[in-house]
Amino acid sequence: MSTNRKLLILAGDGIGPEVMRQVRRVVDWMGRRRGLHFDVKDGLVGGTSIEANGVPLTDATLAEAKAADAVLLGAVGGPRWDKIEFERRPEAGLLRLRKDLGLFANLRPATVLDALVDASPLKADIVRGLDIMIVRELTGGVYFGEPRGITTLDNGERQGLNTQVYTSSEIRRVARVGFELARKRNRKLCSVEKANVMESGLLWREEVTALHAAEFSDVELSHMYADNCAMQLIRNPRQFDVIVTDNLFGDMLSDEAAMLTGSLGMLPSASLGAADANGKRCALYEPVHGSAPDIAGRDIANPIASLFSFAMCLRYSFDLTAEADLIEKAVAQVLKGGLRTTDIMAPGMARCSTTVMGDSIVRALDKLHAAG
Ligand code: IPM
Ligand code: MG
C-alpha cells in the first residue's frame, strides 16, 4: 500500500485549469527535489462536470474528495451556466463539497507583500506590512439555511426566501478556530456580526463571549458590526489580527480584504473540517478568486493564489512548514525581481504570462533548495 500523501485536484472552470497547471508543476517539484511524493488524482467540478456528467459534482468525485488527504480546487462557474437552476449550477458543486466534507472553517489570510505594496488601491502607508486572517464560517448560515426558495404567494407576488440560522455549537467550533489561530499570531480576535439587527448575530456574540471567558481569556476579544468592519478594513486594516465571522459576511469581507492586498489573484484559502479520532481532517484549498471567464484560456491569469493555497495545504494538512515557507519565499523573490502578471502589473515592472510566472517560481524554488 502506498504511504504517499493523497491529493485530489479539481481544476474546475475558467482560469482554474491554467492556474492549477502551475500548481501541478510545484507538486511534481516537491517529489523531484524534496522527496515528497504525492498521489495525485484529477477530477471534475463545476461547469466542466456539468458538461461531462450532467451534475456539478458526482457522488464518485465526492467520495474521492473524502478519501483524499487534501483537495486542491481551482475555480467554478461561468456565464455559460448562469441560467441553470441553483442546485445544478457549478457553484452547487463547490457548496456540496464544503457541506459534505464538513469544512466549517474557512481561513482566508490577507497579507501585503513588500514588493506589492503599490499594487494596493489604498495608500502604501495604510497597507504596508498588513497581515490579517479572516476565519469565515463555511457550512452554515444563509448559504444553507432552510426554508429557502422562490414561491408565488396567494396574491400572485413572487417571494424569494433564505434563512440565516446558527446554532451555538456551529458558532463555538468556528470561534474556537479563530481563538486558536489568534494564539499563534498576535492574540487578537475580532468577532463580526450584526447583533444590532439579527438574532443570529446576537447569539453569535453571546456564544463567542462565553467561549472567550471559559477558555481563551489570554486572547484579546473585540466585537464589531459587519458594516463597521467593512469600513474599518479600508480605514485602518492593520488594527485587525484575526477576524471570525459568518458565512455571508465572511464572503464579502474576505473579498474586500483581498483587494487591500492589490489583487484577488494573490489570495489563497484553506477550508478545514473537524479532526476525526485518528487526527485526520478533511481539507480543501482554493484561491479566493473566481473563475474569471473574461480572461480564461489566455495564459494571463495569476497563478500565485493557487500556489499559496498549495503552500497552505502543505502547512495545514501535512505539517510541511519548511516546504510551505519555500513556496512563499520563491514567490516573494520572483515578485522582487519585477515580474508581474497583468492583475498586479505596475509601472517599471515586467509583464508576464501565467506560464512564465510558473517557470520563474519553479526556478526560484530550485535556487532556494540548492542554497539549502
Ligand atoms: C467564495 C465564492 C463562493 C461563495 C461562490 C463561488 C459559491 O464567492 O468562495 O467566496 O460565495 O462562497
Ligand atoms: Mg466570495
Side-chain angles (χ1 to χ4, degrees):
M1 205 184 96
S2 159
T3 55
N4 281 353
R5 304 158 183 87
K6 289 201 283 289
L7 286 180
L8 177 66
I9 296 189
L10 302 174
D13 308 324
I15 59 171
E18 51 203 284
V19 295
M20 292 313 285
R21 214 167 292 136
Q22 304 310 316
V23 171
R24 187 59 196 264
R25 297 175 68 188
V26 174
V27 172
D28 293 344
W29 184 91
M30 290 291 166
R32 225 172 37 244
R33 295 294 159 103
R34 308 283 293 190
L36 297 168
H37 297 285
F38 294 87
D39 282 341
V40 183
K41 283 194 182 163
D42 289 289
L44 299 178
V45 69
T48 48
S49 174
I50 295 176
E51 301 305 320
N53 306 310
V55 289
L57 182 77
T58 62
D59 293 343
T61 305
L62 180 63
E64 298 263 22
K66 281 188 183 155
D69 293 310
V71 179
L72 302 179
L73 190 131
V76 296
R80 192 161 166 193
W81 306 286
D82 269 359
K83 297 274 176 302
I84 311 178
E85 61 200 300
F86 269 119
E87 313 84 81
R88 306 186 70 84
R89 277 196 200 181
E91 288 80 358
L94 177 58
L95 294 176
R96 183 164 177 224
L97 272 170
R98 290 175 178 171
K99 188 71 174 175
D100 287 15
L101 297 183
L103 307 174
F104 65 87
N106 181 215
L107 280 46
R108 299 191 162 189
T111 48
V112 171
L113 303 181
D114 285 341
L116 289 189
V117 99
D118 293 316
S120 173
L122 296 201
K123 293 193 188 88
D125 282 351
I126 293 188
V127 295
R128 186 173 290 112
L130 181 74
D131 178 1
I132 61 188
M133 175 69 89
I134 296 186
V135 180
R136 168 187 175 192
E137 200 291 325
L138 203 60
T139 52
V142 75
Y143 271 60
F144 296 97
E146 300 280 348
R148 64 184 298 160
I150 299 178
T151 49
T152 303
L153 304 176
D154 292 343
N155 66 3
E157 274 235 272
R158 296 214 303 152
Q159 183 192 61
L161 172 69
N162 292 92
T163 302
Q164 164 79 342
V165 54
Y166 274 108
T167 61
S168 47
S169 61
E170 283 178 305
I171 297 166
R172 282 180 183 238
R173 68 179 179 177
V174 74
R176 178 178 299 282
V177 172
F179 280 121
E180 281 169 355
L181 280 167
R183 262 191 187 149
K184 294 191 189 146
R185 296 169 48 102
N186 295 317
R187 289 180 180 264
K188 277 167 58 179
L189 180 71
C190 180
S191 170
V192 173
E193 25 60 9
K194 284 281 287 180
N196 51 345
V197 282
M198 297 164 77
E199 282 77 5
S200 59
L202 185 57
L203 183 75
W204 184 284
R205 187 173 287 220
E206 289 173 1
E207 291 297 332
V208 175
T209 303
L211 182 64
H212 177 242
E215 293 179 44
F216 294 100
S217 51
D218 55 313
V219 174
E220 183 189 322
L221 172 67
S222 59
H223 303 277
M224 204 178 266
Y225 298 140
D227 52 344
N228 184 28
C229 182
M231 188 268 278
Q232 295 295 338
L233 274 172
I234 301 292
R235 195 183 72 86
N236 176 19
R238 280 183 310 223
Q239 71 185 280
F240 297 107
D241 178 21
V242 181
I243 291 174
V244 65
T245 189
D246 78 13
N247 205 341
L248 183 61
F249 294 141
D251 180 44
M252 296 188 283
L253 295 173
S254 62
D255 263 30
E256 188 189 353
M259 205 55 219
L260 298 176
T261 72
S263 170
L264 268 176
M266 295 295 298
L267 287 216
S269 79
S271 305
L272 308 175
D276 68 13
N278 305 316
K280 177 182 176 334
R281 61 169 86 225
C282 285
L284 179 146
Y285 301 86
E286 58 176 319
V288 170
H289 65 66
S291 58
D294 50 325
I295 60 164
R298 291 167 54 195
D299 198 33
I300 61 172
N302 187 346
I304 295 176
S306 293
L307 290 167
F308 279 167
S309 299
F310 179 50
M312 287 188 92
C313 168
L314 296 176
R315 211 181 281 290
Y316 291 103
S317 284
F318 301 114
D319 244 337
L320 294 168
T321 314
E323 280 71 20
D325 288 348
L326 217 52
I327 294 177
E328 286 162 5
K329 270 193 207 133
V331 170
Q333 275 189 7
V334 168
L335 293 174
K336 208 162 156 232
L339 218 52
R340 298 284 187 276
T341 43
T342 299
D343 58 308
I344 49 175
M345 186 56 195
M349 301 291 140
R351 190 189 300 264
C352 75
S353 66
T354 311
T355 311
V356 168
M357 182 56 90
D359 291 342
S360 311
I361 291 168
V362 169
R363 267 203 306 279
L365 280 170
D366 277 334
K367 278 200 201 121
L368 283 166
H369 174 71

